[in-house]
Amino acid sequence: MSEPIEAFFERLSAGPGSLPPRASGSLRIDLGSGTTTERWLVTIGKGTVSVSHRNAKADAVIRTSKDLFEGMVTGRVNAMAGTLRGVVSLEGDPTLLVLFQRALPGPPAPAKRGSTTRGRRS
């Protein structure tokens, strides 16, 4: 398992965070890696979020590669851009898919460059 993916789901299950308190439903994330598929089931309801590895029917399903999803949970890959490029497959309730995207982090902050002072000399 990928450490960033594990950490993301741990944070998600610790509290709804950016998910609206009235949101409810189930979302399964299928992550392909070679010939194996890792599954995560996220169930949202009554202000709580639970996460498991159950392979259960869900209101919505996201399918992508494990590597690409790791990029999504670290903010390096935009989920919607992945969908438009065809490397992320979405099925089911579009509301849950949009809500889930809200839980993903934004892009990482750019690295700070060395401090420069223009026009000044010491």
Side-chain angles (χ1 to χ4, degrees), residues 9-61:
F9 283 113
E10 283 177 20
R11 283 190 308 274
L12 191 63
S13 63
S18 60
L19 298 175
R22 290 188 214 151
S24 65
S26 58
L27 173 68
R28 194 179 74 225
I29 297 115
D30 293 350
L31 305 177
S33 179
T35 59
T36 63
T37 300
E38 182 179 321
R39 290 184 172 84
W40 294 87
L41 181 67
V42 178
T43 307
I44 307 161
K46 298 181 183 178
T48 64
V49 177
S50 66
V51 177
S52 73
H53 284 286
R54 288 185 28 219
N55 182 15
K57 186 174 180 178
D59 299 316
V61 178

Side-chain angles (χ1 to χ4, degrees), residues 51-103:
V51 177
S52 73
H53 284 286
R54 288 185 28 219
N55 182 15
K57 186 174 180 178
D59 299 316
V61 178
I62 295 173
R63 288 186 180 90
T64 191
S65 73
K66 188 174 180 177
D67 291 338
L68 190 75
F69 191 75
E70 184 174 309
M72 290 166 56
V73 301
T74 58
R76 293 177 288 127
V77 174
N78 180 283
M80 188 56 70
T83 303
L84 295 173
R85 287 193 328 261
V87 293
V88 176
S89 166
L90 309 172
E91 313 177 349
D93 184 352
T95 306
L96 286 171
L97 301 170
V98 171
L99 288 175
F100 183 72
Q101 183 170 335
R102 289 175 58 182

